Amino acid sequence: MISALDVPLDLSQPPTITQQSPKDYIVDPRENIVIQCEAKGKPPPSFSWTRNGTHFDIDKDAQVTMKPNSGTLVINIMNGGKAEAYEGVYQCTARNERGAAISNNIVIRPSRSPLWTKEKLEPHQVREGDSLVLHCRPPVGLPPPIIFWMDNAFQRLHQSERVSQGLNGDLYFSNVQPEDTREDYICYARFNHTQTIQQKQPISVKVFSMDSLNDTIAANLSDTDIYGAKPVTEKQPTLLTPTGSTSTKVELRGNVLLLECIAAGLPTPGIHWIKEGGELPANRTFFENFKKTLKIIDVSEADSGNYKCIARNILGSVHHVISVTVKAAPYWITAPRNLVLSPGEDGTLICRANGNPKPNISWLANGVPIAIAPEDPSRKVDGDTIIFSHVQERSSAVYQCNASNEYGYLLANAFVNVLAEPPRILTPANKLYQVIADSPALLDCAYFGSPKPEIEWFKGVKGSILRGNEYVFHDNGTLEIPVAQKDSTGTYTCVARNELGKIQNEVQLEVKDPTMIIKQPEYKVIQRYGQVSFECIIKHDSTLLPTVIWLKDNDELPDDERFLVGKDNLTIMNVTDKDDGTYTCIVNTTLDSVSASAVLTVVARPNPPFDLELTGQLERSVELSWIPGDENNSPITNFVIEYEDGLHEPGVWHYQTEVPGTQTTVQLKLSPYVNYSFRVIAVNEIGRSQPSEPSEQYLTKSANPDENPSNVQGIGSEPDNLVITWEPLKGFQSNGPGLQYKVSWRQKDVDDEWTSVIVANVSKYIVSGTPTFVPYEIKVQALNDLGYAPEPSEVIGHSGEDLPMVAPGNVQVHVINSTLAKVHWDPVPLKTVRGHLQGYKVYYWKVQSLSRRSRRHVEKKILTFRGNKTFGMLPGLEPYSSYKLNVRVVNGKGEGPASPDKVFKTPEGVPSSPSFLKITNPTLDSLTLEWGSPTHPNGVLTSYVLKFQPINNTHELGPLVEIRIPANESSLILKNLNYSTRYKFYFNAQTSVGSGSQITEEAVTIMDEAMASRQVDIATQGWFIGLMCAVALLILILLIVCFIRRNKGGKYPVKEKEDAHADPEIQPMKEDDGTFGEYSDAEDHKPLKKGSRTPSDRTVKKEDSDDSLVDYGEGVNGQFNEDGSFIGQYSGKKEKEPAEGNESSEAPSPVNAMNSFV
């Protein structure tokens, strides 16, 4: 048995209706009527029609034709026929040798759009506040028209809770207002089927207000007239529709339930809906027409019940209960399905339907009630089921099941086709299926056969039968691989067999790699007018061609040149607010589709707040409120409130306060006598908004000043005055007009009364004739036209200073060392200072150098010692010199008289280096040395010390020789030197204190002439030139190797020896082998550099003095703290002593190399 399977059209089969017109068929009377009836079968069926239950002979009506090879009727109306003549119930029958199928009963009705009946419409005169209903009463059309109200200008009338249109098309006024007066209330009916609109005559409405009634018609109306001139009164709700307290409503299952309640009343009542004993269905309930209409879609029997509408205003309420019953036209539970049976098989047709009331089930065979149809011994009817046993070919027929109740019917055709057919596979051979890995693969094997064939699947030509949980075998023959993998690719064979035969078919499966987005677009936040890019990088199967589409908010990208779509990205230039949204990258292939989305948030500074309002105005406070502007996707963090004082500083905005971004009101404290305007600025992470428009102005009342001037001071500018200054109040601090200041003063610690003066528009007052530098009590008080500020606090000031009268006495000097001395003095009496004591100044200068006995220009130096110190340190003195100093006291006016000059001398120090060292007249064994005396002898020179030593070709140093020279000498001839030898000299001067800095120089003695001649001859020989070239090449190679080692952090052997031989004084000539130490190329003593010297040593050693640095004063020779502490640095550098391994010489010539010592 095969159920619900299409029989191939090349096999015999009963007719099947494939297309038919709807049961209720409303046609346009101006066009031809086409009644459809299409069917298939083998042999092809013939068609016939009934009209109103009797045979419809189309051959006798010239206006009716049937399409070839079809049962569709065409009734020619456009060539003189009338649609009304063809109204009726039509049914089509399709018949062949195996049975007959019938269509539904098709009711043909032409649409109608009749005109409004003419009627005389009286104007409506209504009292203000009353209810009103304007009736539409459209003509009965087919189908019913759509109703709407418009005016003469074809503009829809505005509807609201007060005025609205009911389901019946009437216009309801819950209460009328004077603005409802007009003469063009027009009801329109639109008949969609014929595309026509009919118009009712305009209705006039005139609303009378109570005032106009009293003035115009009160005299003509009786007390009982409905237009009695009573004041407009509020009215309790009453229902305009539906009437009464209860009503009923029947609706069919699956339809839309519409319940309506419209109420009158003043104020306009609101409508509320409930279902008694239950809840309104959550996802199917909607409120329309300002909640006057309750709409429930797709109703079912469970929606039956009582629905209550409640109309309520401030005066009361009224309700109405609508009892809803949901009936049901028949609907299928199990519709009969075609049967294909082989001879001798059994089968059943089942027809089950439900409805309210329960439908009646009846069977027909080939369009004839089964009770009067030809008998079939294989058939048995059991209510809604027909049972077939041992069918034969003559059992083929078409059966109709009819399920009907009072609300409609269902008709279904199902054939029984008795066939004996071997299997056939309907799926094309070698069909190619392509799927994506990890997705299901469905391989079709559509088949037919009678009896029903069995289906088996194999993989490969000679593969085993497919079984197991990894496959799903569907009844229609389809093989499903729930999760196809790459190894699922291959050939699959479907085999269909029954008792009459066997057939097979092969299909191909290819499994492709899935398309993936390996770089998805990411969430972006961008400022307005910036540039943003979204990436969408994909990976796909090489045999599939992907296409990439970008969407914005699930729609196409805007047609804007700012959007640039690249191979794997989307770029948006010059971003604006409208670009905000979700961007989706969709990648499509023929087999799959993937997508990824990202949100673009365009941020900007917030829009300015608006609608600033001042409320709660008090003398000293006001409440400011505002409405925030658009935050532009960046939350507002705070609001800044600024104010303008239009009275004192118009156009100048000042900061008032700020509040969090969640706050839109603030209580502001105010000052008296200020004409305030406020503005608000919103702030987010991007920046500040433009200021809002200013608020209205608010002028506060005048009051006494709340505060007094600040920063009050009293400082004399002359010895006999007192200058009183203060920081004046700002305009808004004046609290009222006529701002002035009361300045008061009196001498401190003297029993004097306050002296006061009142001034205006100034911030300074000068008191003349005061004693010199005496303390005063001072106060400054603000006042205006309304009175004084609170009593001000007093400050202490002083009258003007004068120069100090006396000099410090008992000045003593203690010389600590050759560059440092300490000075002491007695303080002056404070009364003689005549001002604020600022400190003492020590003037000192060098009179002469004791070593030269020569005077020079006197340069005085000054050190200042803050406060009341009575001693200080004098650093930076020159050794062996005579100095003078004096001390003066200092106040705010200046310096007092100087103390008598005090003379002191500094002891000797070490000298500076000789001014020069020259080496001249080189001979074979002598050199001449000339030098200049030290620039700074710093004492009496006792002698000069000369040290020298030879240097060989390998940079090794020879023995060090020392010679002492009398101080009065300026030159020396050194004899008995080696010829052609380089020497290094170290030269310094000495005093009784010690040796000074040294100066170094180098020189070379000349070679013997005969030896030079022989060397020149050798040097011109070819073998010697070749040898030297080889040596030079070897040296070059060694240099390269050394350079590479140095770059790698290595050390030369020479350098290691230098580190080991740093000082010639402690590195003597090696006694064991008689060789010299190595000679260094240290930068301190480069060879042949003339005039090398070091600065003199002026280091102040700690053991020379126990005085702290706090005793040093301020002056030109150093840096000092405010308390006189010296923070300079007294140090120098000594040149290193001559050292073996610390000097270098230029590379010797080949000639010199042959004559060097070994």
Side-chain angles (χ1 to χ4, degrees):
M1 178 184 70
I2 301 178
S3 178
L5 186 67
D6 283 343
V7 180
L9 285 176
D10 62 335
L11 298 178
S12 296
Q13 58 183 290
T16 300
I17 300 293
T18 58
Q19 192 172 3
Q20 59 183 317
S21 293
K23 293 179 181 179
D24 191 7
Y25 188 16
I26 298 174
V27 298
D28 190 333
R30 301 166 297 182
E31 298 179 354
N32 292 340
I33 302 173
V34 179
I35 310 175
Q36 290 184 329
C37 180
E38 303 290 343
K40 66 177 182 177
K42 181 71 173 183
S46 61
F47 297 90
S48 63
W49 286 86
T50 63
R51 176 183 172 189
N52 297 327
T54 60
H55 176 67
F56 181 35
D57 192 349
I58 62 175
D59 294 332
K60 293 183 179 181
D61 191 334
Q63 303 295 333
V64 182
T65 59
M66 186 183 294
K67 290 184 178 181
N69 302 317
S70 168
T72 297
L73 295 181
V74 178
I75 302 175
N76 197 331
I77 300 300
M78 300 179 69
N79 288 335
K82 292 187 177 180
E84 291 80 2
Y86 293 94
E87 288 191 54
V89 180
Y90 293 77
Q91 189 172 42
C92 171
T93 301
R95 186 184 311 272
N96 68 9
E97 62 188 28
R98 288 197 167 239
I102 62 176
S103 70
N104 291 322
N105 288 327
I106 302 171
V107 180
I108 302 296
R109 293 184 296 171
S111 64
R112 298 180 179 85
S113 52
L115 300 175
W116 247 290
T117 58
K118 290 190 177 180
E119 57 182 328
K120 186 177 181 181
L121 300 177
E122 296 293 335
H124 291 265
Q125 296 185 347
V126 195
R127 182 172 57 186
E128 180 182 356
D130 286 353
S131 62
L132 173 65
V133 180
L134 300 183
H135 297 288
C136 180
R137 300 191 183 100
V140 178
L142 187 67
I146 296 173
I147 306 301
F148 53 94
W149 289 79
M150 301 178 73
D151 58 17
N152 277 333
F154 297 102
Q155 299 297 315
R156 286 186 179 269
L157 296 177
H158 176 69
Q159 298 191 25
S160 62
E161 287 187 347
R162 187 177 64 84
V163 182
S164 61
Q165 177 183 315
L167 294 176
N168 62 356
D170 293 346
L171 190 64
Y172 292 86
F173 295 77
S174 295
N175 54 78
V176 295
Q177 301 297 326
E179 60 266 23
D180 296 328
T181 298
R182 62 190 306 155
E183 298 179 351
D184 57 350
Y185 287 94
I186 305 173
C187 181
Y188 288 85
R190 183 173 66 214
F191 298 89
N192 282 345
H193 214 79
T194 58
Q195 297 297 311
T196 58
I197 296 178
Q198 303 292 352
Q199 172 184 333
K200 187 181 179 74
Q201 291 293 322
I203 302 174
S204 174
V205 174
K206 185 173 183 180
V207 179
F208 291 96
S209 65
M210 293 302 96
D211 292 339
S212 62
L213 284 172
N214 288 334
D215 294 339
T216 58
I217 64 173
N220 300 322
L221 299 176
S222 66
D223 291 342
T224 60
D225 199 306
I226 63 169
Y227 298 113
K230 300 177 182 178
V232 177
T233 58
E234 296 178 335
K235 298 180 177 61
Q236 288 187 357
T238 57
L239 287 175
L240 297 175
T241 185
T243 58
S245 61
T246 62
S247 60
T248 60
K249 172 80 172 181
V250 176
E251 191 55 79
L252 292 182
R253 177 182 181 270
N255 287 355
V256 176
L257 173 64
L258 293 173
L259 304 178
E260 180 180 58
C261 274
I262 301 178
L266 185 67
T268 302
I271 304 296
H272 178 63
W273 290 91
I274 61 172
K275 182 181 182 183
E276 294 183 343
E279 298 290 334
L280 295 174
N283 298 322
R284 296 183 292 114
T285 301
F286 303 91
F287 298 100
E288 297 179 346
N289 198 18
F290 309 99
K291 291 192 175 182
K292 298 175 187 179
T293 301
L294 171 65
K295 176 180 177 181
I296 301 176
I297 62 173
D298 192 23
V299 294
S300 64
E301 290 86 341
D303 294 319
S304 298
N306 293 331
Y307 292 81
K308 179 186 287 187
C309 71
I310 304 168
R312 178 180 286 110
N313 67 9
I314 59 175
L315 300 181
S317 64
V318 64
H319 68 270
H320 183 93
V321 177
I322 305 173
S323 179
V324 175
T325 302
V326 177
K327 298 290 186 179
Y331 56 92
W332 290 119
I333 296 176
T334 304
R337 305 170 70 182
N338 293 336
L339 282 179
V340 178
L341 302 174
S342 62
E345 276 194 311
D346 302 336
T348 58
L349 287 178
I350 300 174
C351 177
R352 289 177 184 164
N354 202 356
N356 188 8
K358 188 170 183 63
N360 177 48
I361 303 294
S362 61
W363 287 96
L364 296 88
N366 295 325
V368 178
I370 202 166
I372 60 175
E375 290 189 6
D376 183 351
S378 66
R379 177 183 70 209
K380 178 183 177 182
V381 178
D382 184 9
D384 58 7
T385 303
I386 301 179
I387 303 170
F388 298 93
S389 304
H390 303 287
V391 297
Q392 300 301 319
E393 187 173 352
R394 66 176 180 272
S395 299
S396 296
V398 182
Y399 291 88
Q400 290 83 33
C401 173
N402 186 300
S404 61
N405 65 13
E406 60 187 281
Y407 297 106
Y409 74 94
L410 294 173
L411 178 67
N413 290 278
F415 65 65
V416 175
N417 195 14
V418 181
L419 292 173
E421 285 292 327
R424 60 171 67 183
I425 294 178
L426 307 178
T427 300
N430 290 312
K431 184 175 181 180
L432 175 63
Y433 294 90
Q434 294 179 323
V435 298
I436 296 296
D438 297 326
S439 62
L442 297 172
L443 308 182
D444 293 332
C445 185
Y447 66 91
F448 185 80
S450 184
K452 181 181 178 181
E454 293 181 356
I455 303 298
E456 293 177 326
W457 281 92
F458 301 84
K459 184 176 181 184
V461 178
K462 298 181 180 180
S464 59
I465 188 169
L466 298 181
R467 292 187 177 90
N469 295 330
E470 56 182 313
Y471 301 102
V472 177
F473 302 95
H474 293 273
D475 290 339
N476 63 357
T478 297
L479 168 66
E480 178 181 354
I481 306 175
V483 183
Q485 302 294 333
K486 293 288 284 187
D487 59 4
S488 302
T489 298
T491 301
Y492 290 79
T493 303
C494 164
V495 177
R497 62 166 56 90
N498 67 8
E499 61 190 34
L500 301 178
K502 166 186 169 184
I503 193 171
Q504 70 180 37
N505 186 40
E506 293 180 355
V507 296
Q508 307 296 323
L509 174 63
E510 292 181 356
V511 181
K512 307 289 187 179
D513 290 325
T515 304
M516 294 184 294
I517 300 177
I518 58 177
K519 178 66 174 177
Q520 298 187 356
E522 297 178 346
Y523 172 73
K524 296 291 181 68
V525 177
I526 189 73
Q527 289 193 34
R528 189 186 295 162
Y529 309 126
Q531 174 179 324
V532 67
S533 289
F534 291 107
E535 287 187 295
C536 185
I537 301 176
I538 63 174
K539 179 182 179 183
H540 61 92
D541 192 284
S542 59
T543 63
L544 299 178
L545 182 63
T547 59
V548 179
I549 301 173
W550 286 90
L551 301 180
K552 179 182 183 295
D553 297 329
N554 295 323
D555 203 351
E556 292 183 359
L557 290 177
D559 185 12
D560 192 328
E561 60 184 10
R562 297 182 300 107
F563 287 78
L564 306 177
V565 178
K567 177 183 176 182
D568 51 14
N569 62 66
L570 167 67
T571 301
I572 308 174
M573 314 287 290
N574 196 24
V575 172
T576 64
D577 291 339
K578 65 181 181 181
D579 299 330
D580 199 274
T582 300
Y583 290 84
T584 304
C585 166
I586 301 177
V587 184
N588 293 317
T589 68
T590 54
L591 297 182
D592 63 349
S593 177
V594 291
S595 65
S597 298
V599 174
L600 173 62
T601 300
V602 182
V603 296
R605 296 184 300 172
N607 292 348
F610 57 94
D611 282 355
L612 273 65
E613 183 180 6
L614 297 178
T615 56
Q617 290 91 336
L618 300 174
E619 289 186 2
R620 292 296 183 101
S621 68
V622 70
E623 183 174 88
L624 173 66
S625 61
W626 60 89
I627 297 176
D630 193 333
E631 63 184 18
N632 291 325
N633 294 322
S634 180
I636 296 174
T637 56
N638 58 294
F639 293 99
V640 177
I641 294 90
E642 297 180 339
Y643 72 91
E644 175 198 32
D645 182 1
L647 194 63
H648 302 99
E649 292 181 290
V652 179
W653 290 90
H654 301 276
Y655 173 86
Q656 171 90 7
T657 188
E658 58 185 88
V659 296
T662 56
Q663 189 173 327
T664 58
T665 60
V666 62
Q667 193 78 19
L668 300 175
K669 293 181 180 180
L670 306 180
S671 295
Y673 194 54
V674 176
N675 193 13
Y676 282 101
S677 290
F678 299 98
R679 68 183 187 185
V680 182
I681 299 170
V683 182
N684 64 10
E685 289 187 357
I686 310 304
R688 295 162 61 101
S689 73
Q690 293 293 320
S692 67
E693 291 296 321
S695 69
E696 60 181 299
Q697 291 187 331
Y698 177 48
L699 177 62
T700 54
K701 294 182 180 180
S702 302
N704 294 8
D706 292 325
E707 52 191 309
N708 288 299
S710 59
N711 197 24
V712 177
Q713 293 183 338
I715 302 174
S717 61
E718 298 294 338
D720 60 349
N721 73 6
L722 172 67
V723 179
I724 302 174
T725 59
W726 60 91
E727 188 74 31
L729 298 182
K730 296 182 180 179
F732 72 92
Q733 295 175 307
S734 65
N735 286 8
L739 176 64
Q740 299 181 89
Y741 303 100
K742 180 181 179 182
V743 183
S744 304
W745 68 92
R746 67 180 178 184
Q747 189 171 336
K748 190 174 183 297
D749 300 328
V750 177
D751 192 14
D752 281 350
E753 295 294 329
W754 286 95
T755 303
S756 300
V757 62
I758 294 178
V759 297
N761 301 322
V762 295
S763 59
K764 178 174 71 173
Y765 183 77
I766 300 176
V767 180
S768 302
T770 63
T772 300
F773 195 67
V774 295
Y776 278 85
E777 294 175 321
I778 304 167
K779 57 184 180 180
V780 180
Q781 185 178 24
L783 68 152
N784 61 19
D785 291 349
L786 279 77
Y788 285 88
E791 184 68 23
S793 58
E794 300 171 7
V795 299
I796 303 298
H798 286 80
S799 57
E801 299 180 65
D802 205 347
L803 294 176
M805 299 173 63
V806 299
N810 192 24
V811 177
Q812 301 291 330
V813 179
H814 171 60
V815 177
I816 296 174
N817 57 38
S818 61
T819 60
L820 180 66
K822 185 175 184 179
V823 59
H824 294 261
W825 62 88
D826 290 340
V828 299
L830 287 179
K831 289 186 178 181
T832 66
V833 176
R834 299 200 295 182
H836 295 286
L837 175 63
Q838 294 186 355
Y840 292 88
K841 284 186 178 181
V842 176
Y843 286 74
Y844 65 101
W845 60 97
K846 180 179 175 181
V847 177
Q848 66 177 16
S849 173
L850 299 179
S851 61
R852 295 184 180 180
R853 302 296 180 180
S854 60
R855 289 185 172 271
R856 64 174 184 172
H857 174 69
V858 175
E859 179 184 353
K860 289 190 177 182
K861 299 180 181 180
I862 305 172
L863 288 178
T864 301
F865 299 90
R866 300 289 183 182
N868 58 356
K869 286 180 68 70
T870 60
F871 65 92
M873 306 299 293
L874 303 181
L877 303 178
E878 293 186 13
Y880 206 49
S881 298
S882 175
Y883 281 87
K884 287 185 179 181
L885 66 76
N886 59 53
V887 184
R888 311 176 191 195
V889 67
V890 182
N891 67 10
K893 188 72 173 177
E895 301 175 3
S899 66
D901 291 346
K902 188 74 173 179
V903 178
F904 66 96
K905 297 177 182 180
T906 56
E908 287 187 81
V910 296
S912 63
S913 62
S915 57
F916 67 90
L917 174 63
K918 294 192 299 182
I919 303 174
T920 60
N921 302 326
T923 67
L924 289 175
D925 61 352
S926 67
L927 292 170
T928 301
L929 280 66
E930 297 178 358
W931 59 87
S933 60
T935 306
H936 300 286
N938 295 335
V940 178
L941 294 181
T942 59
S943 64
Y944 292 101
V945 177
L946 174 65
K947 298 177 184 179
F948 64 95
Q949 58 191 148
I951 308 171
N952 68 5
N953 291 344
T954 58
H955 298 176
E956 293 177 333
L957 299 174
L960 187 67
V961 179
E962 179 176 322
I963 300 175
R964 289 189 176 271
I965 304 169
N968 57 353
E969 296 291 337
S970 62
S971 64
L972 175 68
I973 297 176
L974 280 178
K975 297 180 180 181
N976 300 321
L977 301 177
N978 296 330
Y979 68 90
S980 188
T981 303
R982 179 179 301 278
Y983 289 90
K984 184 160 187 177
F985 299 91
Y986 313 90
F987 192 67
N988 64 328
Q990 288 186 335
T991 65
S992 60
V993 176
S995 297
S997 301
Q998 66 183 12
I999 185 171
T1000 65
E1001 192 57 271
E1002 293 182 10
V1004 181
T1005 59
I1006 65 174
M1007 73 178 90
D1008 178 72
E1009 293 182 2
M1011 180 68 72
S1013 174
R1014 288 196 300 271
Q1015 290 173 347
V1016 170
D1017 292 340
I1018 294 173
T1020 59
Q1021 299 301 311
W1023 65 268
F1024 182 76
I1025 294 174
L1027 177 60
M1028 290 300 100
C1029 290
V1031 171
L1033 180 60
L1034 180 61
I1035 292 173
L1036 178 61
I1037 293 173
L1038 290 175
L1039 288 175
I1040 293 174
V1041 172
C1042 292
F1043 178 76
I1044 294 173
R1045 289 190 60 194
R1046 173 168 292 183
N1047 286 343
K1048 292 183 178 180
K1051 263 190 174 182
Y1052 293 105
V1054 172
K1055 177 62 178 174
E1056 296 171 357
K1057 292 180 181 180
E1058 289 172 1
D1059 295 340
H1061 306 295
D1063 193 335
E1065 297 291 348
I1066 60 174
Q1067 296 293 331
M1069 183 177 65
K1070 300 178 183 177
E1071 294 180 359
D1072 54 350
D1073 58 4
T1075 60
F1076 295 105
E1078 287 185 1
Y1079 177 63
S1080 167
D1081 61 351
E1083 293 182 358
D1084 289 8
H1085 307 290
K1086 294 187 182 293
L1088 300 180
K1089 188 170 182 180
K1090 305 296 183 179
S1092 174
R1093 65 187 68 192
T1094 58
S1096 61
D1097 187 350
R1098 296 188 183 181
T1099 303
V1100 178
K1101 298 181 181 178
K1102 184 175 181 180
E1103 61 269 20
D1104 292 340
S1105 173
D1106 293 331
D1107 293 300
S1108 169
L1109 289 179
V1110 300
D1111 299 329
Y1112 292 84
E1114 297 175 355
V1116 297
N1117 292 329
Q1119 297 176 335
F1120 302 88
N1121 290 331
E1122 255 187 16
D1123 63 352
S1125 300
F1126 175 66
I1127 60 173
Q1129 183 175 357
Y1130 299 93
S1131 65
K1133 291 184 179 179
K1134 280 189 177 180
E1135 178 150 343
K1136 294 180 182 178
E1137 291 294 322
E1140 296 180 3
N1142 281 357
E1143 297 297 333
S1144 65
S1145 69
E1146 60 187 10
S1149 68
V1151 177
N1152 289 340
M1154 296 194 61
N1155 294 283
S1156 61
F1157 58 85
V1158 292

